[in-house]
Amino acid sequence: MPEVRPDEITAILRKQISGFEREVDIYDVGTVLQVGDGIARVYGLQQVMASELVEFPNDVFGMALNLEEDNVGCILFGNDTLVKEGDQVRRTGKVMSMAVGEAMLGRVINPLGQPIDGKGAIETTKTLPVERKALGVISRLPVKEPLNTGLKAIDSMIPIGRGQRELIIGDRQTGKTAIAIDTILNQKYTHSEDAAKRGIKPVYCVYVAIGQKASTVAQVVARLEEEGAMDFTTVVAATAGSPSPMQFIAPYSGCTLGEYFRDSGRDALVIYDDLSKHAWAYRQVSLLLRRPPGREAYPGDVFYLHSRLLERASKLSEEAGGGSLTALPIIETQASDVSAYIPTNVISITDGQIYLEPGLFNSGIRPAINVGISVSRVGGNAQTKAMRRVAGRLRLDLAQFRALQAFVKFGSDLDKVTQAQIRRGQRLVELLRQNQYMPMPVEKQVVLIFSGTNGYLDELPVESIQRFEEEFLEVMELKHADVLKKIAETREIDADTEKKLHDATKEFVQTFKSSLKE
């Protein structure tokens, strides 16, 4: 993925401040006291605003971050070797902004809004500030509409609503990004004619890659293009090779683009992958600016760093346009330590977390979701009535199974009730397995979970569950398409639909059992 040249960065920042030329007074000018490592200390600029763009010589721009009594600390977006002590610095009068608009869809951009995918310039004139105050409670509505991920384990037990902030947390290489990408792929349905007929609003996606390898970002983009999801997605990339100031502003830029869609009455999803690296970039910038280090060398305002970002996700009231912005932040833990500083910070800001466990991942259970620690504080409000009805017992059954799992090896010595709980739990775990890049429509999830929670799988061998799933869905599509269609349209299961489901499942299980004996 090509890096952006310094002159291109200068061009886009200069475009932002065009039209802001005014008479310069003595308070608009400062002098560089010290420069190095992407940081400059400036004397003067008494009237500078927080997050204001400031102009250095040789077409280098910076952003005011530290407003101290005797100097201003700035982070530089250009080459700091072009700035030297004694240089004159000027205010621009404009806070850091980013270009937004429909033209951003399908593109890979850097945090300044500059395209880095080699597909030419982006034609858009509208800009919004990178940092904006989150809207108050009066402008918001409760989160009630589901944002389906297409993953059985999440949509049934840890549902996400439009306007929610749900944390995805776990060690490296446990499938965190996979969940985020599957969620984006599943939004393809919301852009279909079928969804429009059913009154489901399309979801526009923003994927923010912070501190990742450029090759990893390229793979994600290639997969989204292959699945046709880039049509409604923008990728904001501040790769590992980007300077820390760029990594620092990347999530705010992605959020600004998401807010553009939300404020125009549409629904948006923004994924921050990941905020651990964002906190590292901020720590680097802060320590260079000589902000006092606190716990684990992070500055004292590292909680505010993420809270002011995630608070911007919301479901707006009808008066405010009725749009929504859903946030899925990702946090990487070290050795499964969920009680570390940054993980606990972000857990306390978000409306729940999906915890991925290395042990489950390595044993082949994917997505490797730990049901005990994972939670959605929105809960059933973010589910369709049909899913709420069939998945009500699922979480309890799985939690009981996890508690009894240690006793599986003593199977013959256990009472019948315990054996039944273990038997059902084993089959439910198998049922919730799902391959990557294969999101599933809600109506298919509902009929599968219905078969599991109603005990139809209890007598089947565990190793046959995956085959059962494939064949059962095939039969439902061929013989009982009306049932699937009704669940999809009404999002409920009435008495008639439930009876049809029982009959269809019972009939198929009998046929399936006899096919296993052959």
Side-chain angles (χ1 to χ4, degrees), residues 1-10 12-13 16 77 96-99 104 107-117 122 130 206-209 217 234-239 242-243 245-247 249-254 257:
M1 197 166 289
E3 284 297 321
V4 179
R5 300 196 312 274
D7 58 322
E8 291 178 324
I9 291 175
T10 300
I12 195 160
L13 291 173
Q16 279 189 28
F77 296 116
M96 186 74 194
S97 299
M98 179 186 149
M104 292 289 184
R107 302 302 298 269
V108 184
I109 58 174
N110 72 359
L112 303 174
Q114 184 80 18
I116 54 174
D117 52 8
I122 295 174
V130 164
V206 182
Y207 177 77
V208 185
V217 179
T234 304
V235 176
V236 181
T239 57
S242 305
M246 289 290 227
Q247 294 184 36
I249 66 161
Y252 300 103
S253 299
L257 187 56

Side-chain angles (χ1 to χ4, degrees), residues 396-411 414-426:
L396 183 63
D397 287 342
L398 275 174
Q400 288 173 338
F401 168 64
R402 290 267 183 257
L404 297 167
Q405 208 169 7
F407 301 108
V408 172
K409 60 187 84 155
F410 312 117
L414 299 174
D415 61 275
K416 284 187 176 178
V417 175
T418 308
Q419 283 181 14
Q421 286 176 338
I422 290 170
R423 196 182 304 117
R424 178 166 297 184
Q426 287 171 330

Side-chain angles (χ1 to χ4, degrees), residues 304-321:
Y304 180 55
L305 172 80
H306 289 148
S307 66
R308 72 178 190 259
L309 169 70
L310 295 169
E311 280 297 333
R312 289 163 71 177
S314 59
K315 167 68 179 165
L316 298 189
S317 62
E318 293 305 319
E319 294 76 25

Side-chain angles (χ1 to χ4, degrees), residues 128-239:
L128 286 174
V130 164
E131 290 250 26
R132 295 169 75 194
K133 188 181 175 186
L135 293 169
V137 185
I138 303 300
S139 307
R140 302 184 183 218
L141 281 178
V143 174
K144 286 186 175 174
E145 197 179 348
L147 182 119
N148 294 311
T149 63
L151 297 166
K152 291 171 284 187
I154 294 176
D155 291 343
S156 59
M157 295 185 294
I158 317 146
I160 299 169
R162 297 191 184 194
Q164 192 177 341
R165 303 154 300 176
E166 183 79 11
L167 173 64
I168 302 171
I169 186 168
D171 282 13
R172 66 184 300 271
Q173 298 294 320
T174 50
K176 301 186 296 298
T177 302
I179 285 179
I181 300 306
D182 280 347
T183 305
I184 293 176
L185 296 181
N186 196 52
Q187 304 319 309
K188 191 176 175 183
Y189 165 71
T190 67
H191 290 263
S192 66
E193 287 180 19
D194 190 33
K197 285 176 191 170
R198 291 171 184 171
I200 298 170
K201 285 166 71 178
V203 177
Y204 297 88
C205 305
V206 182
Y207 177 77
V208 185
I210 311 157
Q212 295 184 37
K213 289 187 293 185
S215 59
T216 307
V217 179
Q219 285 172 358
V220 168
V221 173
R223 172 57 70 169
L224 292 174
E225 282 178 342
E226 193 181 310
E227 302 284 346
M230 275 305 281
D231 297 343
F232 53 85
T233 305
T234 304
V235 176
V236 181
T239 57

Side-chain angles (χ1 to χ4, degrees), residues 483-499:
V483 175
L484 289 174
K485 190 180 177 186
K486 192 172 181 183
I487 294 170
E489 285 176 354
T490 63
R491 304 186 211 177
E492 290 185 38
I493 295 181
D494 55 24
D496 181 47
T497 307
E498 187 172 8
K499 184 181 181 301

Side-chain angles (χ1 to χ4, degrees), residues 83-121:
V83 180
K84 60 184 187 301
E85 189 181 329
D87 280 348
Q88 194 180 75
V89 187
R90 296 160 66 96
R91 288 183 61 203
T92 63
K94 188 154 193 270
V95 294
M96 186 74 194
S97 299
M98 179 186 149
V100 293
E102 317 297 323
M104 292 289 184
L105 294 172
R107 302 302 298 269
V108 184
I109 58 174
N110 72 359
L112 303 174
Q114 184 80 18
I116 54 174
D117 52 8
K119 294 181 180 176

